[in-house]
Every structure is written in C-alpha cells, then in structure tokens.
Amino acid sequence: MSDVRHVLVLPDRDAAEEAAEALGARFGLDEEPQLVRDALAGEDDAEDAQWLLVLRDERGRLDPAALDEFAGEWEGWREEP
C-alpha cells in the first residue's frame, strides 16, 4: 500500500471541525482525519491560524477534485502534494 495523504486547508477551527465530521459521511473514510493547527509565520494568535485536515488514502480511492470541491464548501482548498 502507498502512503498517500490529502491535506485540506480550512480558514478556522469551526470550519475544520464541521468538515471533519462531514468527510466521513460523504466519503466513507476508514479513519478520522487528523486535525492540525497551522499558525501563520510570526503569529501566535489562534485567529491567525489555518486549520488542516490530513487524510490518509492508502487505497488511492479519494478523488482529489471531489476533495477540493468539498473543501471549497468551507472556504478552503486541497493542498497539492
């Protein structure tokens, strides 16, 4: 199996948590996505952070375009590897 990961970048924690819940229902994930705070350079305030959802896709069954569209529903995007 390969170590394929997808990273969705979301504007805030609320959006990331809502998207994480919806991901499982929409894409039938085998495991929960990892939620990671990504502080912007030089910023300590949580308001100035993006949130990442990291998805493992060892079977390569998740469509990158569908994930990008999904992230867009929360004003986010899928990061290219």
Side-chain angles (χ1 to χ4, degrees):
M1 292 197 184
S2 66
D3 186 28
V4 175
R5 296 183 198 280
H6 299 281
V7 177
L8 305 183
V9 181
L10 298 154
D12 58 51
R13 184 178 189 149
D14 290 339
E17 289 175 345
E18 288 175 28
E21 288 181 28
L23 271 167
R26 182 157 326 163
F27 294 99
L29 301 178
D30 295 332
E31 63 184 66
E32 293 270 328
Q34 181 182 6
L35 185 65
V36 178
R37 180 180 178 266
D38 184 33
L40 300 176
E43 299 293 337
D44 293 327
D45 189 354
E47 294 297 318
D48 294 321
Q50 296 173 329
W51 286 80
L52 310 177
L53 289 178
V54 181
L55 312 162
R56 286 185 20 183
D57 185 21
E58 294 174 350
R59 295 184 216 153
R61 63 183 186 87
L62 297 174
D63 176 29
L67 289 172
D68 195 36
E69 182 179 324
F70 175 85
E73 295 174 19
W74 280 272
E75 298 181 15
W77 64 90
R78 184 184 62 85
E79 191 69 28
E80 288 291 333

